[in-house]
Amino acid sequence: MGNLAVSYAGAGKVELIDTPYPEFELKDGPGVHPANIGRQVHHGVILKTIATNICGSDQHMVRGRTTAPEGLVLGHEITGEVVEVGRDVEFLKVGDVVSVPFNISCGRCRNCKTGQTGICLNVNPDRPGSAYGYVDMGGWVGGQAEYVLVPYADWNALKFPDRDQAMEKILDLTMLSDIFPTGYHGAIGAGVTVGSTVYVAGAGPVGIAAATSAQLLGAAVVIVGDLNEDRLAQARAMGCETVNVALGDPAEQIEQILGVPEVDCAIDAVGFEARGHGHGAATEQPATVLNSIMEITRAGGSLGIPGLYVTGDPGAVDEAAKVGSLSMRFGLGWAKSHTFVTGQCPVMKYHRGLMNAILNDKVSIAKNVNATAISLQDAPKGYAEFDSGVAKKFVLDPHGLIGA
């Protein structure tokens, strides 16, 4: 049996390739860490992919902004049906429909045992933390494919209580693998609570998920900033205030909304490919968002930073940024006693609660991010459209199950 999958084919390109059907053993391939080759995965399951999403983090690789090797199978946002269970799996059964956190974690190390599943110590020989289909993350094969292997499945997979209910809400539930928990993590890190005024930098899917999360947590006002008017319109449609940072730094526009040029807390949902504000909007300035959210967040406030920052960026604007060194005004953050919360979201910390919010109609994340299902064959077109800045979250449907 084959396994059609989406792979990175060089800067600006993805292509569909035929790959082997998954086995309960890690094989050699693009991006696979040599120490992981031959690793036995009897604790895993094989999923028939129901939904697998195109993520902004994938776009960083596809733009050629990382050291991702050509041929790497992409995709870390996975929802699927169990079709095979490994010898050591106890609690999952064939036919179960599950959400898979993008973090791969073992459930056994000291970090996993304290809920820090984004920095598991046992799944990536190079560094703490791992993910499917991602550069320098251990080489676990990505899930933008017809079938995918999920290790430590009893620990990693979140089983939906009812298959029919799950399929009815699949466009919402597919967001549990990454962007909804990631946006929520940003809001939690920023200290959002009832009555907060919140600024979210970035109106892409993670930014919209962060804004949705801030609303869910009881924020009084959520302000979303971006350069893209279509995406800002999407934010307004879900009840947010907006600022267009192409017109200048957000403080003045925030003052027009709130009466003061500051917010209680802020979320960076942009990351290292940030552009300047105002006249600098045409140029890449990777520390822009970090500096601006320090300026506009009140003294004593918190900054949630789920936006991706990397240690290696071959396409960076200067030599320092190529190794993740940014011209950040850390002294300003220190002077204002800001709290910074960074790093991969530990999806497992939040996904069950967010699942319950979806299943009980407390939130409409798919509507807010404009979830749009397309076929696996249309993935290259979806990547190109997403890169152009459309206000959509593309959900790949490898087996036509969403359309059905």
Side-chain angles (χ1 to χ4, degrees):
M1 181 186 279
N3 184 25
L4 197 63
V6 180
S7 74
Y8 172 59
K13 294 184 290 184
V14 300
E15 64 183 12
L16 265 69
I17 60 172
D18 288 313
T19 66
Y21 182 81
E23 298 179 37
F24 294 109
E25 178 183 314
L26 289 190
K27 306 290 187 179
D28 195 7
V32 178
H33 194 286
N36 266 350
I37 296 169
R39 186 170 182 160
Q40 299 299 300
V41 193
H42 299 298
H43 42 67
V45 297
I46 294 170
L47 298 185
K48 178 180 181 178
T49 307
I50 294 173
T52 177
N53 314 328
I54 296 175
C55 180
S57 299
D58 298 321
Q59 288 286 30
H60 294 307
M61 289 188 291
V62 172
R63 291 185 189 121
R65 295 298 296 267
T66 70
T67 55
E70 292 187 20
L72 181 74
V73 174
L74 300 168
H76 56 270
E77 301 190 9
I78 305 163
T79 307
E81 176 186 354
V82 176
V83 292
E84 287 190 49
V85 296
R87 180 192 68 204
D88 300 333
V89 174
E90 288 190 74
F91 307 116
L92 291 175
K93 302 289 185 288
V94 170
D96 287 345
V97 177
V98 301
S99 175
V100 181
F102 78 88
N103 330 101
I104 302 171
S105 57
C106 71
R108 296 153 166 81
C109 71
R110 65 179 294 180
N111 286 348
C112 285
K113 287 180 178 180
T114 56
Q116 296 176 297
T117 53
I119 43 174
C120 174
L121 301 174
N122 287 332
V123 285
N124 183 353
D126 269 343
R127 66 181 75 170
S130 191
Y132 303 87
Y134 212 85
V135 60
D136 296 333
M137 287 292 188
W140 299 83
V141 177
Q144 287 175 12
E146 293 174 306
Y147 299 91
V148 63
L149 171 68
V150 174
Y152 304 101
D154 280 327
W155 165 255
N156 279 307
L158 174 67
K159 178 184 171 182
F160 299 138
D162 181 86
R163 179 192 173 89
D164 291 340
Q165 183 190 33
M167 292 308 296
E168 284 177 16
K169 293 182 175 289
I170 196 66
L171 283 176
D172 290 288
L173 294 172
T174 188
M175 305 307 165
L176 293 173
S177 56
D178 182 356
I179 67 161
F180 197 10
T182 292
Y184 192 83
H185 181 58
I188 292 290
V192 178
T193 188
V194 174
S196 297
T197 56
V198 186
Y199 178 73
V200 180
V206 170
I208 295 295
T212 300
S213 300
Q215 292 176 334
L216 198 59
L217 289 164
V221 183
V222 181
I223 304 168
V224 178
D226 205 295
L227 301 157
N228 182 320
E229 269 301 334
D230 289 341
R231 289 182 168 182
L232 290 174
Q234 188 78 10
R236 287 191 292 273
M238 54 172 281
C240 297
E241 301 286 345
T242 59
V243 302
N244 187 333
V245 296
L247 303 178
D249 288 323
E252 185 177 322
Q253 295 174 70
I254 288 171
E255 185 170 19
Q256 291 171 4
I257 296 165
L258 297 177
V260 290
E262 66 179 18
V263 291
D264 294 322
C265 39
I267 302 165
D268 172 4
V270 177
F272 74 104
E273 286 193 70
R275 296 193 170 276
H277 295 163
H279 295 302
T283 60
E284 194 169 296
Q285 298 176 26
T288 303
V289 170
L290 294 171
N291 288 331
S292 72
I293 63 176
M294 284 189 279
E295 289 171 7
I296 62 175
T297 301
R298 67 172 178 84
S302 295
L303 312 177
I305 308 173
L308 178 67
Y309 289 88
V310 294
T311 56
D313 175 10
V317 292
D318 56 49
E319 290 303 310
K322 286 180 180 178
V323 293
S325 294
L326 308 182
S327 299
M328 181 180 163
R329 293 186 63 196
F330 188 72
L332 176 60
W334 191 94
K336 295 177 79 172
S337 293
H338 283 157
T339 298
F340 296 76
V341 178
T342 68
Q344 274 191 44
C345 165
V347 169
M348 206 176 288
K349 197 171 188 176
Y350 310 112
H351 65 175
R352 185 174 300 276
L354 295 175
M355 174 188 75
N356 287 335
I358 289 168
L359 294 179
N360 289 285
D361 299 318
K362 299 302 181 189
V363 67
S364 300
I365 184 66
K367 177 184 177 183
N368 288 357
V369 300
N370 195 14
T372 304
I374 61 175
S375 70
L376 196 66
Q377 287 77 5
D378 283 337
K381 181 181 176 184
Y383 268 94
E385 282 193 44
F386 189 42
D387 198 45
S388 75
V390 296
K392 295 179 180 179
K393 173 70 172 176
F394 287 105
V395 177
L396 302 180
D397 180 9
H399 295 279
L401 295 171
I402 299 173

